């Protein structure tokens, strides 16, 4: 979230943070790439109709295409922690989308210890209104499986957020250094 807030509307001579309205790009990206976008819990929770979801999909896709086709942008940053929990086929479709457009994809994943992950996840669930406590498991192996099978090893960067923060002062500066 800190990375997303700080990079929102970021642009320099070569790098741009994608222009979606929400700094967390998970909802926009799942709307573009998911085959079952009409069942996306975020849109159901907001009571969006199929027509409204389709309109968002068209807008998000147009925004992504515009950012990808900007001749001044050499590096486009997309950040959404929800991407990791997508079905494998949706992740593959997203990677294929970028690769067929000539994009050189790098995935950067900051991981937390299972305890810190559970704490953060529970806080997010409570903020989201979940009333029942469910088991929480980061399952990083599953989250990253498609990326590790599809991308060259140097294109999947997995770092402990505590170590990155210690080395660079905060997660955002660590992310910038990795970019």
């Amino acid at each position: 979230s800190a990375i997303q807030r700080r990079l929102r509307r970021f642009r320099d001579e070569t790098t741009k943070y994608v222009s979606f309205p929400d700094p967390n790009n998970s909802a926009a990206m799942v709307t573009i790439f998911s085959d079952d976008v009409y069942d996306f819990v975020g849109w159901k929770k907001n009571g969006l109709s199929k027509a409204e979801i389709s309109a968002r999909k068209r807008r998000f896709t147009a925004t992504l295409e515009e950012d990808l086709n900007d001749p001044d942008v050499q590096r486009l940053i997309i950040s959404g922690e929800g991407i990791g929990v997508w079905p494998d086929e949706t992740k593959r479709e997203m990677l294929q989308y970028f690769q067929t457009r000539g994009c050189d994809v790098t995935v950067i994943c900051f991981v937390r210890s299972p305890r810190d992950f559970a704490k953060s996840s529970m806080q997010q669930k409570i903020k989201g209104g979940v009333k029942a406590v469910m088991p929480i498991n980061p399952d990083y192996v599953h989250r990253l499986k498609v990326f590790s099978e599809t991308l060259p090893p140097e294109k999947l960067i997995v770092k402990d957020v505590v170590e990155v923060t210690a080395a660079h002062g905060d997660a955002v500066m660590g992310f910038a250094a990795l970019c």
Side-chain angles (χ1 to χ4, degrees):
S1 297
I3 292 169
Q4 294 161 351
R5 282 191 306 271
R6 295 248 310 264
L7 289 180
R8 185 177 193 175
R9 296 186 186 93
F10 176 84
R11 182 176 186 142
D12 67 12
E13 297 80 31
T14 60
T15 304
K16 179 179 182 178
Y17 192 74
V18 70
S19 304
F20 297 134
D22 186 346
N24 179 340
N25 306 150
S26 296
M29 294 295 285
V30 78
T31 302
I32 293 170
F33 294 106
S34 178
D35 290 334
D36 60 350
V37 68
Y38 301 112
D39 292 326
F40 174 54
V41 76
W43 298 148
K44 281 184 159 186
K45 185 175 156 184
N46 289 317
L48 269 61
S49 69
K50 285 188 175 188
E52 291 169 316
I53 295 168
S54 293
R56 286 184 185 213
K57 182 172 184 144
R58 286 189 300 276
R59 273 196 321 273
F60 293 151
T61 302
T63 297
L64 182 57
E65 288 287 335
E66 184 177 312
D67 285 347
L68 287 172
N69 291 320
D70 184 331
D72 296 326
V73 175
Q74 296 172 20
R75 183 181 305 114
L76 184 64
I77 299 172
I78 299 167
S79 176
E81 55 268 33
I83 293 170
V85 297
W86 288 359
D88 289 351
E89 191 51 43
T90 305
K91 293 175 195 172
R92 282 187 195 91
E93 185 177 327
M94 177 189 67
L95 286 173
Q96 184 177 18
Y97 171 90
F98 288 116
Q99 291 168 335
T100 60
R101 284 161 177 75
C103 298
D104 182 20
V105 176
T106 299
V107 173
I108 300 174
C109 177
F110 285 175
V111 297
R112 301 173 187 223
S113 70
R115 179 181 169 185
D116 289 343
F117 181 92
K119 178 182 171 185
S120 175
S121 181
M122 185 56 70
Q123 289 170 343
Q124 291 297 320
K125 289 177 186 292
I126 291 168
K127 280 191 337 189
V130 171
K131 293 174 178 46
V133 177
M134 300 162 58
I136 297 171
N137 178 359
D139 198 7
Y140 293 125
V141 171
H142 175 73
R143 288 173 185 252
L144 298 171
K145 180 181 176 204
V146 168
F147 303 120
S148 67
E149 292 173 348
T150 308
L151 298 171
E154 68 275 9
K155 296 296 182 176
L156 175 58
I157 302 169
V158 180
K159 297 288 184 181
D160 182 300
V161 71
V162 173
E163 292 175 13
V164 169
T165 300
H168 297 281
D170 70 15
V172 178
M173 293 306 293
F175 179 80
L178 289 167
C179 287

